Amino acid sequence: HEGVLYLEQRRLQTTASQDRVEELPETERNVLKLRYGINGDDPTPLRETGKRLGMSPERVRQIESKALAQLAMRRELDALRVG
């Protein structure tokens, strides 16, 4: 599970993956944009992301993990549709 999430983190730097982020619910989208510096910004540390979004660092971590899992699942489903 952690390996899949790590790979998804690395994929967030591609344009196609950034487009996928736009399809996520607003909270997950905002967390990933801040955490990974999507849109050309520098990545934001967990604690700072929490401050900006008005939530605890632990909640940010939970939302980030859920969003990355959703992106990984969508990628797997897309692969099944193509194959």
Side-chain angles (χ1 to χ4, degrees), residues 43-81:
T44 306
L46 195 64
R47 194 174 306 253
E48 178 62 26
T49 299
K51 286 180 184 177
R52 289 188 190 183
L53 298 177
M55 59 183 74
S56 71
E58 176 60 19
R59 185 66 187 134
V60 170
R61 189 200 60 74
Q62 292 168 353
I63 292 169
E64 177 182 353
S65 179
K66 178 182 173 186
L68 292 173
Q70 288 176 347
L71 290 174
M73 177 72 73
R74 288 179 183 183
R75 183 175 306 282
E76 290 175 21
L77 290 174
D78 286 347
L80 289 174
R81 287 185 190 121

Side-chain angles (χ1 to χ4, degrees), residues 5 19 22 26 28-29 35 37-38 43 55-56 61 65 67 73:
L5 293 181
D19 290 344
E22 294 301 324
E26 183 178 9
E28 284 123 354
R29 186 172 59 240
R35 293 286 292 138
I38 296 172
M55 59 183 74
S56 71
R61 189 200 60 74
S65 179
M73 177 72 73

